[in-house]
Amino acid sequence: MGAGNAVGVGVIGAGNISDTYLEHLTSFPDLEVHVVGDLDLDRARTQAEKHGVRASGDAVAVLSHPDVELVVNLTIPAVHAEVSSAAVSAGKHVWSEKPIGIDRASAAALLDQAAAAGVRIGVAPDTVLGPGLQSARRAIARGDIGRPLFAQTTFQWQGPELFHPNPGFLYARGGGPLLDMGPYYVSALVHVFGPVAEVAALGQRGTDIRSVQVGPLAGESFPVEVPSTVQVLTRFEQGGQAQSLYSTDSPLLRHGVVEISGTEGTILIPDPNTFGGRIAIVRPLASLDDGPVQEWIDIEQEGVMVGRGLGALDLARAVRDGRTHLASGEIGYHVLDTLLAIEESVEHGGFVSVESTVDLVGMMPADFDPFRRTV
C-alpha cells in the first residue's frame, strides 16, 4: 500500500448485498474498486458496470489482479472461509461478510494462515462501527447509565423469503436467524459488555419446509435445516448478562431491539443491523408519585453516517497507520464461537462455555470521516 495511493479493492460475490457494498466502497476516496468477481460472470459484469468498476470476471480474476490489495468476500456463508483462505494465499487482506466461517476449525485455521502471511482479516458486521452504537458506547463509557448490568435483544419476523429471490441458503447449515442475524446482536453485545463466557439456549423449527415468495423461483419449496426460533441466555466474562430472541416464525415484526440496563438507567441502542438511529435513556423513578410513564431522554448521535463497507475502509486505513482495525478476525471468530455454542446448547441442553475470548473492543473516533482522503 503506497503512501498517496488509494487502496485497491476487489469484490468476490455479486449477489444481493453487493449493491450496498459497492455503492459505498466506490464512494470512499481512500479505496479504489478494480474488479468484481462471481461464479455467474454475467452477474459480475452487470454489477461492475452498474457501479463504475472497470473489470469483472470470476474469483481468479479478483485474486490475480495486480492492483487488488484488499478482497471483500461477499460469498455465501458456506464458502466464506474457503474464499478468504484463497485470498490470503494470494497475499491479500480480507474483509469478509459474516460469519467468518461456519465451523471453528476452518475459521481458526484462516486466522492462523493470515497471521503467518502477515495480512489482515476483518469480519462483518461493520454496523457496530457506525454512529449509532459508537455514540451509545460513548454514553455508557461516560457513566450515563451507571454500571451496565444486563441487556435484552429481540429479532423476530416471518423470514427473508418475503424479499429474497433465493433464500434457501439462509435456512441451511450456517444460516437461520441465529447465524444470519445473530452476528449483529452478539457483536453489539460484545462491544458493550466484552467477551462471552457461556450461553444457554432453546430452539425449534416452526416448519420443516418453506417456500420462496418473490422472484423467478416464487412457489418453489426448500428445506429448513436449522432452528428458525432460538432463545438465548448469555453471561459475559465481565459479569453482564443478556436475554435474546432470534426468530423467523413470528407474524409479529419486532426487530432491532437492543436495550442495556445499568445501575442508573436504561439505554435504547439503534438496530444493530443499521449504522444509526435513535439513542435514548430512561432514568429510574424517584417514587410512584412521579407517575407510571417514564420519560426517554434522547442522546445526540455523533459521527458521519455511512453504510456497509465502513469496516473494510477502517481495515485499509489501519494497515496504513499500523494500528489494529476494529472489526477484527478475532472478534469475528469469538462471535462465531458464541453462535456455535448456542447451537450446541439448543442440541444438547444446559450452559455451554465459550472457549475463545477477545480483548475489550476499542471505539471508533467520533471524528472518523469516511469521505476525507487520508491515504
Side-chain angles (χ1 to χ4, degrees), residues 9-13 21 25 62 70-75 93-97 312:
V9 175
V11 175
I12 299 180
Y21 263 98
L25 292 172
V62 176
L70 170 63
V71 169
V72 175
N73 178 1
L74 306 181
T75 57
H93 304 291
V94 176
W95 173 264
S96 174
E97 246 307 308

Side-chain angles (χ1 to χ4, degrees), residues 200-204 229-233 244-246 342 346:
L202 295 172
Q204 61 181 333
T229 294
V230 180
Q231 300 184 80
V232 187
L233 293 176
S244 302
L245 169 65
Y246 308 101
I342 292 169
V346 168

Side-chain angles (χ1 to χ4, degrees), residues 157-249:
W157 75 313
Q158 287 178 250
E161 61 267 36
L162 292 183
F163 75 90
H164 201 292
N166 189 20
F169 75 95
L170 293 170
Y171 290 92
R173 181 171 175 261
L178 180 64
L179 269 294
D180 182 40
M181 298 305 301
Y184 296 107
Y185 293 82
V186 173
S187 295
L189 292 174
V190 168
H191 273 247
V192 172
F193 286 100
V196 175
E198 61 179 352
V199 294
L202 295 172
Q204 61 181 333
R205 287 199 296 263
T207 178
D208 293 333
I209 300 293
R210 291 189 180 237
S211 299
V212 182
Q213 301 297 312
V214 298
L217 301 179
E220 291 192 13
S221 298
F222 58 87
V224 178
E225 300 177 2
V226 293
S228 47
T229 294
V230 180
Q231 300 184 80
V232 187
L233 293 176
T234 302
R235 184 177 68 81
F236 299 90
E237 289 184 12
Q238 305 298 318
Q241 302 174 359
Q243 173 182 299
S244 302
L245 169 65
Y246 308 101
S247 179
T248 52
D249 292 321

